[in-house]
């Protein structure tokens, strides 16, 4: 989860996305409440970020 605005462009290696057949989604302008709920869901184990980050490494 990215919180805030990047001051420089973010890059993604298309080979990683295509080679692993990943779908990538992202919001534009989430609300503070949405970020708060997402962090709570991660902390309480409802969202398993370990699986996602393992796919990208």
């Amino acid at each position: 989860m990215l919180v805030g605005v990047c001051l420089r462009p973010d890059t993604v290696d298309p080979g990683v996305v295509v080679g692993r057949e990943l779908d990538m989604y992202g919001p534009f302008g989430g609300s503070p409440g949405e970020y708060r709920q997402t962090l709570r869901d991660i902390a309480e184990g409802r969202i398993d970020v370990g699986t996602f980050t393992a796919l990208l490494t």
Side-chain angles (χ1 to χ4, degrees), residues 33-47:
E34 291 171 315
Y35 288 120
R36 187 172 27 259
Q37 183 62 49
T38 301
L39 290 172
R40 187 177 298 124
D41 289 342
I42 292 169
E44 295 177 2
R46 287 188 290 273
I47 297 175

Side-chain angles (χ1 to χ4, degrees), residues 14-54:
V16 172
V17 175
V18 173
R20 297 183 184 191
E21 298 182 4
L22 300 177
D23 294 322
M24 297 187 67
Y25 301 92
F28 182 78
S31 71
E34 291 171 315
Y35 288 120
R36 187 172 27 259
Q37 183 62 49
T38 301
L39 290 172
R40 187 177 298 124
D41 289 342
I42 292 169
E44 295 177 2
R46 287 188 290 273
I47 297 175
D48 180 8
V49 296
T51 301
F52 177 72
T53 55

